[in-house]
Amino acid sequence: MTRNKLAFPLAFTLLMAINASSQVARTLWSGAELQFPFSKTFRVTFSPELRLTDEKKIDDFILEAEAQLRIHKLLQPTFSYRYYTFYDDPGEYFNGQRLGAGISSSVELGRFKLTNRFYYFHRLVNRYGYGYSIETRRELREGVKITYNIRGTKLEPFVQAEIYYDISPDRNHEFSKIRIRTGLEYPFSKRSSIDLFFQVQDKLNTSNPLRTYTVGIFYSFKLPTPKPKPVDIE
């Protein structure tokens, strides 16, 4: 629990310490999430996502599937697969696949909810443009999210911090990226909701620092949980 309490202040401090001479990018991030609960303890989620630059060009296109098993509120193993395309320098683009495995946990304290996620990601990236190459990247990632339920309303403001640690082969093992996100969750019903957020992201330990400002909107829909079939006793 101490680590969770320190993660956000540490992330915020690191973010503010980034060199002000970083390049700046602005993006719009949108997505939809469809949850298939097979039981009260197991669910599968599918989500397409699209990120546009401020010039209305595609920056990222993502298709992701995730499976989560709820053993306990403090122990929720998660496995994911992502296919994505993205662009970097002019004339150069990439596509990649990402496998992830992690643990999520959550604790409710009155109207506050604290969520922690720790992931390992393995990515295979195909690079096109100035020739063709394949890169393997590995990273650890931890995120902490605090949500507050405003009394008498459906609004749930939140703040979230994530830090990335690069463990790719033939690279320095060091922190590579940090994100700070704040926004609002608004549930339309028990099955659907919308998230609006603003995000600041910084690349760390690089000769080409980049700060990215992102405005995002995500829609989520959850199918009803199947009810157990009654067992006939003869």
Side-chain angles (χ1 to χ4, degrees):
M1 183 63 69
T2 301
R3 183 186 66 179
N4 292 344
K5 292 180 179 179
L6 293 176
F8 176 71
L10 176 60
F12 183 79
T13 302
L14 288 172
L15 181 61
M16 293 301 102
I18 300 298
N19 194 320
S21 63
S22 300
Q23 298 181 56
V24 174
R26 297 172 180 82
T27 62
L28 174 63
W29 199 346
S30 61
E33 180 181 270
L34 181 60
Q35 295 184 22
F36 293 86
F38 289 88
S39 67
K40 292 183 178 180
T41 59
F42 180 71
R43 70 178 187 184
V44 174
T45 303
F46 296 97
S47 55
E49 302 174 19
L50 181 65
R51 187 160 59 188
L52 302 175
T53 67
D54 53 359
E55 298 177 349
K56 299 180 181 180
K57 295 180 180 180
I58 296 177
D59 185 44
D60 287 280
F61 176 70
I62 300 168
L63 294 173
E64 185 164 5
E66 180 180 272
Q68 185 177 78
L69 177 65
R70 182 183 174 89
I71 300 174
H72 186 272
K73 64 181 179 181
L74 298 178
L75 183 59
Q76 302 173 45
T78 304
F79 302 92
S80 65
Y81 170 78
R82 170 182 286 190
Y83 173 83
Y84 58 102
T85 61
F86 62 102
Y87 299 81
D88 195 1
D89 299 322
E92 189 170 24
Y93 69 97
F94 310 78
N95 66 41
Q97 301 179 71
R98 189 186 78 178
L99 293 175
I103 295 290
S104 298
S105 59
S106 62
V107 177
E108 294 186 9
L109 302 170
R111 292 186 170 275
F112 288 94
K113 182 178 180 180
L114 175 64
T115 304
N116 183 79
R117 301 190 316 162
F118 182 81
Y119 272 88
Y120 165 76
F121 287 118
H122 184 99
R123 293 189 289 168
L124 183 65
V125 181
N126 301 303
R127 181 192 298 263
Y128 303 90
Y130 307 114
Y132 173 78
S133 64
I134 300 177
E135 297 179 5
T136 299
R137 299 181 185 177
R138 301 169 186 167
E139 66 185 12
L140 300 175
R141 176 173 167 182
E142 182 169 18
V144 177
K145 181 179 180 181
I146 300 174
T147 305
Y148 179 75
N149 175 251
I150 299 177
R151 187 186 301 273
T153 73
K154 294 183 178 181
L155 292 176
E156 296 185 350
F158 67 87
V159 62
Q160 179 177 340
E162 291 184 282
I163 188 89
Y164 296 65
Y165 189 78
D166 192 346
I167 56 172
S168 301
D170 303 323
R171 290 181 178 231
N172 295 328
H173 292 181
E174 58 191 6
F175 292 106
S176 58
K177 190 186 299 181
I178 187 172
R179 285 178 176 175
I180 301 292
R181 178 183 293 186
T182 184
L184 289 171
E185 297 179 7
Y186 183 82
F188 295 115
S189 66
K190 292 183 178 180
R191 296 181 187 172
S192 64
S193 64
I194 191 169
D195 285 11
L196 301 172
F197 65 85
F198 174 75
Q199 174 180 289
V200 181
Q201 174 182 288
D202 272 309
K203 288 186 176 181
L204 308 176
N205 297 309
T206 176
S207 57
N208 297 307
L210 174 66
R211 171 167 290 181
T212 304
Y213 297 102
T214 300
V215 174
I217 178 170
F218 278 74
Y219 175 77
S220 298
F221 183 80
K222 179 180 179 181
L223 294 174
T225 303
K227 295 182 179 180
K229 295 182 179 180
V231 178
D232 295 330
I233 300 177
E234 297 182 358

